[in-house]
Amino acid sequence: MSLPLIASNKPTVLELDAGTHYWCACGRSSNQPFCDGSHAGTEFEPREFTLEARKRVALCNCKRTGTPPFCDGSHKGL
Ligand code: FES
């Protein structure tokens, strides 16, 4: 299994609406931290996640987090 690309070495912090979202796991999306379909042909699939209410979140862009789609601080070790 190859490693995903590092889209950025810091998370995107934003307020997200309630509902289902798709986090880019391959690192290739041009719409980070969200999937834009660029994983096609790779071994990666986007991570679907659901928020019950509007919430401020930190979404991982280094793609090395242990708690996808959320940043766990792993980018500090890159
Ligand atoms: S941006 Fe990936 S762990 Fe923080």
Side-chain angles (χ1 to χ4, degrees):
M1 172 125 179
S2 55
L3 288 170
L5 297 182
I6 297 171
S8 163
N9 60 5
K10 50 182 204 252
T12 297
V13 180
L14 78 173
E15 286 237 347
L16 263 189
D17 285 335
T20 301
H21 304 277
Y22 294 87
W23 173 75
C24 168
C26 71
R28 288 170 165 77
S29 173
S30 298
N31 186 35
Q32 295 293 335
F34 304 105
C35 176
D36 73 351
S38 296
H39 60 276
T42 74
E43 64 205 280
F44 297 99
E45 290 287 333
R47 169 67 67 107
E48 178 183 315
F49 67 102
T50 301
L51 297 178
E52 299 302 325
R54 186 171 172 85
K55 191 179 175 190
R56 188 170 178 81
V57 294
L59 296 176
C60 172
N61 282 322
C62 76
K63 314 304 178 185
R64 301 296 187 270
T65 180
T67 58
F70 305 107
C71 173
D72 71 352
S74 293
H75 61 272
K76 292 180 186 137
L78 295 175

